[in-house]
Coordinates of all heavy atoms in Angstrom, one line a residue:
R7 N 120.6 -143.1 -30.1 CA 119.8 -142.7 -31.3 C 119.1 -141.4 -31.1 O 118.5 -140.9 -32.0 CB 118.7 -143.8 -31.5 CG 119.2 -145.2 -31.8 CD 118.0 -146.2 -31.9 NE 117.1 -145.7 -32.9 CZ 115.8 -145.9 -32.9 NH1 115.2 -146.5 -31.8 NH2 115.0 -145.5 -33.8
L8 N 119.2 -140.8 -29.9 CA 118.5 -139.6 -29.6 C 119.2 -138.3 -30.0 O 120.5 -138.3 -30.1 CB 118.2 -139.5 -28.1 CG 117.3 -140.6 -27.5 CD1 117.2 -140.5 -26.0 CD2 116.0 -140.7 -28.2
P9 N 118.5 -137.2 -30.4 CA 119.2 -136.0 -30.8 C 119.9 -135.3 -29.7 O 119.7 -135.5 -28.5 CB 118.0 -135.2 -31.3 CG 116.8 -135.6 -30.6 CD 117.0 -137.1 -30.4
A10 N 120.9 -134.5 -30.1 CA 121.6 -133.7 -29.1 C 120.7 -132.7 -28.5 O 119.8 -132.1 -29.2 CB 122.8 -133.0 -29.8
V11 N 120.8 -132.5 -27.2 CA 119.9 -131.5 -26.5 C 120.8 -130.7 -25.5 O 121.9 -131.0 -25.2 CB 118.9 -132.3 -25.6 CG1 117.9 -133.0 -26.6 CG2 119.5 -133.3 -24.7
R12 N 120.2 -129.6 -25.0 CA 120.9 -128.8 -24.0 C 120.6 -129.3 -22.6 O 121.2 -128.9 -21.7 CB 120.5 -127.3 -24.2 CG 121.0 -126.7 -25.4 CD 120.6 -125.2 -25.6 NE 119.2 -125.1 -25.9 CZ 118.3 -124.7 -25.1 NH1 118.6 -124.3 -23.9 NH2 117.0 -124.6 -25.5
G13 N 119.5 -130.0 -22.5 CA 119.2 -130.6 -21.2 C 120.0 -131.9 -20.9 O 121.1 -132.0 -21.4
R14 N 119.4 -132.8 -20.2 CA 120.2 -134.0 -19.7 C 119.4 -135.3 -20.0 O 118.2 -135.4 -19.7 CB 120.5 -133.9 -18.2 CG 121.4 -135.0 -17.7 CD 121.9 -134.7 -16.3 NE 120.7 -134.7 -15.4 CZ 120.8 -134.5 -14.1 NH1 122.1 -134.2 -13.5 NH2 119.8 -134.5 -13.3
Y15 N 120.1 -136.3 -20.5 CA 119.6 -137.6 -20.6 C 120.2 -138.5 -19.5 O 121.4 -138.4 -19.1 CB 120.1 -138.3 -21.9 CG 119.4 -137.7 -23.2 CD1 120.3 -137.4 -24.3 CD2 118.1 -137.6 -23.3 CE1 119.7 -136.9 -25.5 CE2 117.5 -137.1 -24.5 CZ 118.3 -136.7 -25.6 OH 117.8 -136.3 -26.7
T16 N 119.4 -139.4 -19.0 CA 119.9 -140.4 -18.0 C 119.3 -141.8 -18.4 O 118.1 -141.9 -18.5 CB 119.4 -140.1 -16.6 OG1 119.8 -138.7 -16.3 CG2 120.0 -141.0 -15.6
E17 N 120.2 -142.8 -18.6 CA 119.8 -144.1 -18.9 C 119.4 -144.9 -17.7 O 119.9 -144.7 -16.6 CB 120.9 -144.9 -19.6 CG 121.2 -144.5 -21.1 CD 122.1 -145.4 -21.7 OE1 123.4 -145.3 -21.4 OE2 121.7 -146.3 -22.6
D18 N 118.4 -145.8 -17.8 CA 118.0 -146.6 -16.7 C 117.7 -145.8 -15.5 O 118.2 -146.2 -14.4 CB 119.0 -147.7 -16.5 CG 118.4 -148.9 -15.7 OD1 117.2 -149.2 -15.8 OD2 119.2 -149.5 -15.0
A19 N 117.0 -144.8 -15.6 CA 116.8 -143.8 -14.5 C 115.8 -144.3 -13.5 O 114.7 -144.8 -13.8 CB 116.4 -142.5 -15.0
D20 N 116.2 -144.2 -12.2 CA 115.3 -144.6 -11.1 C 114.1 -143.7 -11.0 O 114.3 -142.5 -10.6 CB 116.1 -144.7 -9.8 CG 115.3 -145.1 -8.6 OD1 114.1 -145.5 -8.8 OD2 115.8 -145.1 -7.5
L21 N 112.9 -144.1 -11.3 CA 111.7 -143.3 -11.2 C 111.0 -143.4 -9.9 O 110.2 -142.5 -9.5 CB 110.7 -143.6 -12.3 CG 111.2 -143.3 -13.8 CD1 110.1 -143.7 -14.8 CD2 111.6 -141.8 -13.9
A22 N 111.3 -144.5 -9.1 CA 110.6 -144.7 -7.9 C 110.8 -143.5 -6.9 O 109.9 -143.1 -6.2 CB 111.1 -146.0 -7.2
K23 N 112.0 -142.9 -6.9 CA 112.3 -141.8 -6.0 C 111.6 -140.5 -6.4 O 111.6 -139.6 -5.6 CB 113.8 -141.6 -5.8 CG 114.5 -141.2 -7.1 CD 116.0 -141.1 -6.8 CE 116.8 -140.8 -8.1 NZ 118.2 -140.8 -7.9
T24 N 111.1 -140.5 -7.6 CA 110.4 -139.3 -8.1 C 108.9 -139.3 -7.9 O 108.3 -138.2 -8.0 CB 110.7 -139.0 -9.6 OG1 109.9 -140.0 -10.4 CG2 112.2 -139.2 -10.0
T25 N 108.4 -140.4 -7.5 CA 106.9 -140.5 -7.3 C 106.6 -140.5 -5.8 O 107.4 -140.9 -5.0 CB 106.3 -141.8 -7.9 OG1 106.7 -142.9 -7.1 CG2 106.8 -141.9 -9.4
W26 N 105.4 -140.0 -5.5 CA 105.1 -139.9 -4.1 C 104.8 -141.3 -3.5 O 104.9 -141.5 -2.2 CB 103.8 -139.0 -3.9 CG 104.2 -137.6 -4.1 CD1 105.2 -137.1 -4.9 CD2 103.5 -136.5 -3.7 NE1 105.2 -135.7 -4.9 CE2 104.1 -135.3 -4.1 CE3 102.3 -136.3 -2.9 CZ2 103.7 -134.0 -3.9 CZ3 101.9 -135.0 -2.6 CH2 102.6 -133.9 -3.1
F27 N 104.5 -142.3 -4.3 CA 104.4 -143.7 -3.8 C 105.7 -144.3 -3.5 O 105.8 -145.3 -2.7 CB 103.7 -144.6 -4.9 CG 102.2 -144.5 -4.8 CD1 101.5 -144.2 -6.0 CD2 101.5 -144.9 -3.7 CE1 100.1 -144.2 -6.0 CE2 100.1 -144.8 -3.7 CZ 99.4 -144.5 -4.8
R28 N 106.8 -143.8 -4.1 CA 108.1 -144.3 -3.9 C 108.3 -145.8 -4.3 O 108.8 -146.6 -3.5 CB 108.6 -144.1 -2.4 CG 108.8 -142.7 -2.0 CD 109.9 -142.0 -2.7 NE 110.3 -140.7 -2.3 CZ 109.8 -139.6 -2.7 NH1 108.9 -139.6 -3.7 NH2 110.2 -138.4 -2.2
C29 N 107.7 -146.1 -5.4 CA 107.9 -147.5 -5.9 C 107.8 -147.4 -7.5 O 107.4 -146.4 -8.0 CB 106.8 -148.4 -5.3 SG 105.1 -148.0 -5.8
G30 N 108.1 -148.5 -8.1 CA 108.0 -148.6 -9.6 C 109.3 -148.8 -10.2 O 110.4 -148.7 -9.6
G31 N 109.3 -149.1 -11.5 CA 110.5 -149.4 -12.3 C 111.1 -148.2 -12.9 O 110.6 -147.1 -12.7
P32 N 112.2 -148.4 -13.6 CA 113.0 -147.3 -14.2 C 112.5 -146.8 -15.5 O 111.7 -147.5 -16.2 CB 114.4 -147.9 -14.3 CG 114.1 -149.4 -14.7 CD 112.9 -149.7 -13.9
A33 N 113.0 -145.7 -15.9 CA 112.8 -145.2 -17.3 C 113.9 -145.7 -18.2 O 115.1 -145.7 -17.7 CB 112.8 -143.6 -17.3
E34 N 113.6 -146.1 -19.4 CA 114.7 -146.6 -20.3 C 115.7 -145.4 -20.5 O 116.9 -145.5 -20.4 CB 114.1 -147.0 -21.6 CG 115.1 -147.6 -22.5 CD 114.5 -148.2 -23.8 OE1 113.3 -148.1 -23.9 OE2 115.3 -148.7 -24.7
V35 N 115.1 -144.2 -20.7 CA 115.9 -143.0 -20.8 C 115.0 -141.9 -20.2 O 113.9 -141.7 -20.5 CB 116.3 -142.6 -22.2 CG1 116.9 -141.2 -22.2 CG2 117.3 -143.6 -22.8
L36 N 115.6 -141.1 -19.2 CA 114.9 -139.9 -18.7 C 115.5 -138.7 -19.3 O 116.8 -138.6 -19.4 CB 115.1 -139.9 -17.1 CG 114.5 -138.7 -16.4 CD1 113.0 -138.7 -16.5 CD2 115.0 -138.7 -14.9
F37 N 114.7 -137.8 -19.8 CA 115.1 -136.5 -20.4 C 114.6 -135.4 -19.6 O 113.4 -135.2 -19.4 CB 114.6 -136.5 -21.8 CG 114.9 -135.2 -22.5 CD1 116.0 -134.4 -22.3 CD2 113.9 -134.7 -23.4 CE1 116.2 -133.2 -23.0 CE2 114.1 -133.4 -24.1 CZ 115.3 -132.7 -23.8
R38 N 115.5 -134.5 -19.1 CA 115.1 -133.3 -18.4 C 115.5 -132.1 -19.4 O 116.6 -131.7 -19.4 CB 115.8 -133.1 -17.1 CG 115.5 -134.2 -16.1 CD 116.3 -133.9 -14.8 NE 116.0 -134.9 -13.7 CZ 116.6 -136.0 -13.5 NH1 117.6 -136.4 -14.4 NH2 116.3 -136.8 -12.5
P39 N 114.5 -131.6 -20.1 CA 114.8 -130.5 -21.1 C 115.2 -129.3 -20.3 O 114.7 -129.0 -19.2 CB 113.5 -130.3 -21.9 CG 112.5 -130.9 -21.0 CD 113.1 -132.0 -20.2
A40 N 116.1 -128.5 -21.0 CA 116.6 -127.2 -20.3 C 115.5 -126.2 -20.3 O 115.4 -125.4 -19.3 CB 117.8 -126.7 -21.1
D41 N 114.6 -126.2 -21.3 CA 113.5 -125.2 -21.4 C 112.6 -125.6 -22.5 O 112.8 -126.7 -23.1 CB 114.1 -123.8 -21.7 CG 115.0 -123.7 -22.8 OD1 114.8 -124.5 -23.8 OD2 116.0 -122.9 -22.8
A42 N 111.6 -124.8 -22.8 CA 110.6 -125.2 -23.8 C 111.2 -125.4 -25.2 O 110.8 -126.3 -25.9 CB 109.5 -124.1 -23.8
D43 N 112.1 -124.5 -25.5 CA 112.7 -124.6 -26.9 C 113.5 -125.9 -27.0 O 113.5 -126.5 -28.1 CB 113.7 -123.4 -27.1 CG 112.9 -122.1 -27.3 OD1 111.7 -122.2 -27.7 OD2 113.5 -121.0 -27.1
D44 N 114.2 -126.3 -25.9 CA 114.9 -127.6 -26.0 C 113.9 -128.8 -26.1 O 114.2 -129.7 -26.9 CB 115.7 -127.7 -24.6 CG 116.7 -128.8 -24.7 OD1 117.3 -129.1 -25.8 OD2 117.0 -129.4 -23.6
L45 N 112.8 -128.7 -25.5 CA 111.8 -129.8 -25.6 C 111.2 -129.8 -27.0 O 111.1 -130.9 -27.6 CB 110.7 -129.6 -24.6 CG 109.5 -130.5 -24.7 CD1 109.9 -132.0 -24.5 CD2 108.4 -130.1 -23.6
V46 N 110.9 -128.7 -27.5 CA 110.3 -128.6 -28.9 C 111.3 -129.1 -29.9 O 110.9 -129.9 -30.8 CB 110.0 -127.1 -29.2 CG1 109.7 -127.0 -30.7 CG2 108.8 -126.7 -28.4
E47 N 112.6 -128.8 -29.8 CA 113.6 -129.3 -30.7 C 113.8 -130.8 -30.6 O 113.9 -131.5 -31.6 CB 114.9 -128.6 -30.5 CG 116.0 -129.0 -31.4 CD 115.8 -128.6 -32.9 OE1 114.9 -127.7 -33.1 OE2 116.4 -129.2 -33.7
F48 N 113.7 -131.3 -29.4 CA 113.8 -132.8 -29.2 C 112.7 -133.5 -29.9 O 112.9 -134.5 -30.6 CB 113.8 -133.1 -27.7 CG 113.6 -134.6 -27.4 CD1 114.6 -135.5 -27.5 CD2 112.3 -135.0 -27.1 CE1 114.3 -136.8 -27.2 CE2 112.0 -136.3 -26.9 CZ 113.1 -137.3 -26.9
L49 N 111.4 -133.0 -29.7 CA 110.3 -133.6 -30.3 C 110.3 -133.6 -31.8 O 109.9 -134.5 -32.5 CB 109.0 -133.0 -29.8 CG 108.7 -133.3 -28.3 CD1 107.5 -132.4 -27.8 CD2 108.4 -134.7 -28.0
A50 N 110.8 -132.5 -32.3 CA 110.9 -132.3 -33.8 C 111.9 -133.2 -34.5 O 111.8 -133.5 -35.6 CB 111.1 -130.8 -34.1
T51 N 112.9 -133.7 -33.7 CA 114.0 -134.4 -34.3 C 114.2 -135.8 -33.8 O 115.1 -136.5 -34.3 CB 115.3 -133.6 -34.1 OG1 115.6 -133.4 -32.7 CG2 115.3 -132.2 -34.8
R52 N 113.4 -136.2 -32.8 CA 113.6 -137.6 -32.3 C 113.2 -138.6 -33.3 O 112.4 -138.4 -34.2 CB 112.7 -137.7 -31.0 CG 111.2 -137.8 -31.3 CD 110.4 -137.9 -30.1 NE 109.0 -137.7 -30.4 CZ 108.1 -138.7 -30.7 NH1 108.6 -139.9 -30.8 NH2 106.9 -138.4 -31.0
P53 N 113.7 -139.8 -33.2 CA 113.2 -140.9 -34.1 C 111.7 -141.2 -33.9 O 111.3 -141.2 -32.7 CB 114.1 -142.1 -33.6 CG 115.3 -141.5 -33.0 CD 114.8 -140.3 -32.3
A54 N 111.0 -141.3 -34.9 CA 109.6 -141.4 -34.9 C 109.1 -142.7 -34.1 O 108.0 -142.7 -33.6 CB 109.0 -141.4 -36.3
D55 N 109.9 -143.7 -34.0 CA 109.5 -144.9 -33.3 C 109.8 -144.9 -31.8 O 109.5 -145.9 -31.2 CB 110.2 -146.1 -34.0 CG 111.7 -146.1 -33.8 OD1 112.3 -145.0 -33.8 OD2 112.3 -147.2 -33.6
V56 N 110.3 -143.9 -31.3 CA 110.6 -143.8 -29.9 C 109.4 -143.3 -29.1 O 109.0 -142.1 -29.3 CB 111.9 -142.9 -29.6 CG1 112.1 -142.7 -28.1 CG2 113.1 -143.5 -30.3
P57 N 108.9 -144.1 -28.2 CA 107.7 -143.6 -27.4 C 108.2 -142.5 -26.4 O 109.3 -142.6 -25.9 CB 107.2 -144.8 -26.7 CG 108.4 -145.8 -26.7 CD 109.2 -145.5 -27.9
V58 N 107.3 -141.6 -26.1 CA 107.6 -140.5 -25.2 C 106.5 -140.4 -24.1 O 105.3 -140.5 -24.5 CB 107.7 -139.2 -26.0 CG1 107.7 -138.0 -25.0 CG2 108.9 -139.1 -26.8
T59 N 106.9 -140.3 -22.9 CA 105.9 -140.2 -21.8 C 106.4 -139.0 -20.9 O 107.6 -138.8 -20.6 CB 105.9 -141.4 -20.9 OG1 105.7 -142.6 -21.7 CG2 104.9 -141.3 -19.8
V60 N 105.5 -138.1 -20.5 CA 105.8 -137.0 -19.7 C 105.3 -137.1 -18.3 O 104.2 -137.6 -18.1 CB 105.3 -135.7 -20.4 CG1 103.8 -135.6 -20.4 CG2 105.8 -134.4 -19.6
I61 N 106.1 -136.7 -17.3 CA 105.7 -136.8 -15.9 C 106.0 -135.4 -15.3 O 106.8 -134.7 -15.8 CB 106.3 -137.9 -15.1 CG1 107.9 -137.7 -15.1 CG2 106.0 -139.3 -15.8 CD1 108.6 -138.7 -14.2
G62 N 105.3 -135.2 -14.2 CA 105.6 -134.0 -13.4 C 106.4 -134.4 -12.1 O 107.4 -135.0 -12.2
V63 N 105.8 -134.0 -10.9 CA 106.4 -134.4 -9.7 C 106.0 -135.8 -9.2 O 106.4 -136.2 -8.1 CB 106.2 -133.3 -8.6 CG1 106.9 -132.0 -9.0 CG2 104.7 -133.1 -8.4

Side-chain angles (χ1 to χ4, degrees):
R7 299 178 57 212
L8 299 177
V11 293
R12 289 181 288 110
R14 185 173 63 179
Y15 291 131
T16 306
E17 283 188 289
D18 197 31
D20 181 5
L21 295 180
K23 63 185 180 183
T24 72
T25 73
W26 289 24
F27 275 123
R28 292 294 188 268
C29 64
E34 187 174 359
V35 172
L36 179 65
F37 172 40
R38 296 180 178 89
D41 51 33
D43 290 339
D44 194 30
L45 173 59
V46 167
E47 182 65 20
F48 166 82
L49 292 171
T51 57
R52 69 181 170 92
D55 64 323
V56 174
V58 168
T59 306
V60 65
I61 64 174
V63 293

